[in-house]
Amino acid sequence: MRVLLIGTYQPLIKALKQGLEEEQYLLDVVNHNHEGNGKTPVGTFDVIVLDLRRNEVAHLNLLRRWREAGLKTPVLALTVAGSVEDLDALTAQVDDFMTK
């Protein structure tokens, strides 16, 4: 399974990367939304894991652009429970949430 992991909080990204690679997932990690925008042709990844931090709308805007371009890949958002990002992510068509 090929996973795209997008986030900026390095301790979390490092832990997720290590755990997913130990389980034999093929993993691409991007820390900057412009880099991610170039890495995501429709259908290339089996799942996208999107780390949402407080007041970080750039990743949601990126997802909105991908969805508008026809991206059907499932997206799992990692977020703080009950945060504003939850509502924003719903409108950006996130498929599911996991709280940190």
Side-chain angles (χ1 to χ4, degrees):
M1 177 177 277
R2 189 151 180 225
V3 177
L4 176 62
L5 176 58
I6 303 172
T8 56
Y9 184 62
Q10 289 306 304
L12 177 62
I13 298 301
K14 183 178 177 181
L16 288 171
K17 182 179 186 301
Q18 179 181 351
L20 290 169
E21 287 176 342
E22 286 175 2
E23 295 297 322
Q24 306 300 310
Y25 287 93
L26 300 175
L27 188 66
D28 287 350
V29 178
V30 292
N31 297 320
H32 189 271
N33 49 328
H34 294 296
E35 180 184 352
N37 197 20
K39 286 189 116 184
T40 309
V42 174
T44 300
F45 296 95
D46 297 301
V47 67
I48 297 171
V49 178
L50 183 63
D51 177 29
L52 299 178
R53 298 184 71 203
R54 291 210 179 271
N55 301 319
E56 185 173 24
V57 297
H59 293 146
L60 288 175
N61 290 334
L62 176 64
L63 178 58
R64 283 186 187 101
R65 286 194 306 271
W66 287 344
R67 291 294 194 207
E68 289 169 1
L71 179 75
K72 302 289 186 216
T73 305
V75 176
L76 172 66
L78 305 177
T79 188
V80 177
S83 69
V84 173
E85 291 92 342
D86 293 347
L87 297 175
D88 287 343
L90 281 173
T91 63
Q93 300 178 27
V94 167
D95 295 286
D96 208 348
F97 295 92
M98 179 179 282
T99 57
K100 300 182 220 181

